[in-house]
Amino acid sequence: MVDPWSSGHFGGEEESTVRLSRTLSWVRSDPSDNGYAHPIEGVIAVVDLNKMEVIRVEDYGVTPYAYQDFNYDAERVGPLRTDLKPLSITQPEGPSFTVSGHQISWQKWKFRFSFTPAKD
């Protein structure tokens, strides 16, 4: 499994002229395997997103790979627990926080939450 991640901008010439992505990779033993459980360390492909071409592959040497099963879905772990009591969260007078776009206000606090730069 390969994920393209933003490479950032650190002032290099290449970074100011090309849209770059650094790809991180993981091993999946089957299509439903936990995609982020088994990283391939030390090998990164740098991709030019304008041309959709691999510019280079950075190889930082061999890293030992120890496979362990990190799948926690019901089909793989077996019977689920039955000893848990129900959890009920209620706010009969409504929440004590407000959300406006990406801004969350609570008591004297205000902060923004977003996975991308917010415009509000």
Side-chain angles (χ1 to χ4, degrees):
M1 182 177 90
V2 179
D3 272 357
W5 286 44
S6 172
S7 64
H9 184 55
F10 302 99
E13 178 63 30
E14 180 181 58
E15 298 160 352
S16 62
T17 59
V18 178
R19 290 179 53 230
L20 296 178
S21 176
R22 296 170 59 82
T23 62
L24 304 179
S25 302
W26 291 267
V27 173
R28 291 175 65 184
S29 59
D30 63 74
S32 65
D33 192 11
N34 180 350
Y36 297 102
H38 316 293
I40 300 172
E41 300 286 352
V43 178
I44 297 173
V46 179
V47 177
D48 177 336
L49 294 175
N50 292 331
K51 295 181 180 179
M52 298 303 288
E53 294 178 355
V54 174
I55 295 174
R56 67 179 172 278
V57 176
E58 299 173 356
D59 187 345
Y60 297 100
V62 176
T63 301
Y65 176 78
Y67 182 85
Q68 287 182 282
D69 188 6
F70 289 108
N71 294 290
Y72 301 110
D73 54 88
E75 293 79 28
R76 296 187 196 226
V77 298
L80 300 178
R81 293 178 60 166
T82 58
D83 60 338
L84 297 175
K85 295 180 182 177
L87 172 63
S88 178
I89 299 172
T90 62
Q91 294 181 300
E93 297 177 28
S96 57
F97 62 89
T98 59
V99 178
S100 176
H102 295 284
Q103 180 174 293
I104 301 166
S105 302
W106 177 68
Q107 295 188 349
K108 295 181 181 179
W109 294 86
K110 288 184 183 181
F111 62 94
R112 294 181 181 275
F113 180 81
S114 178
F115 289 104
T116 57
K119 296 188 187 237
D120 61 350

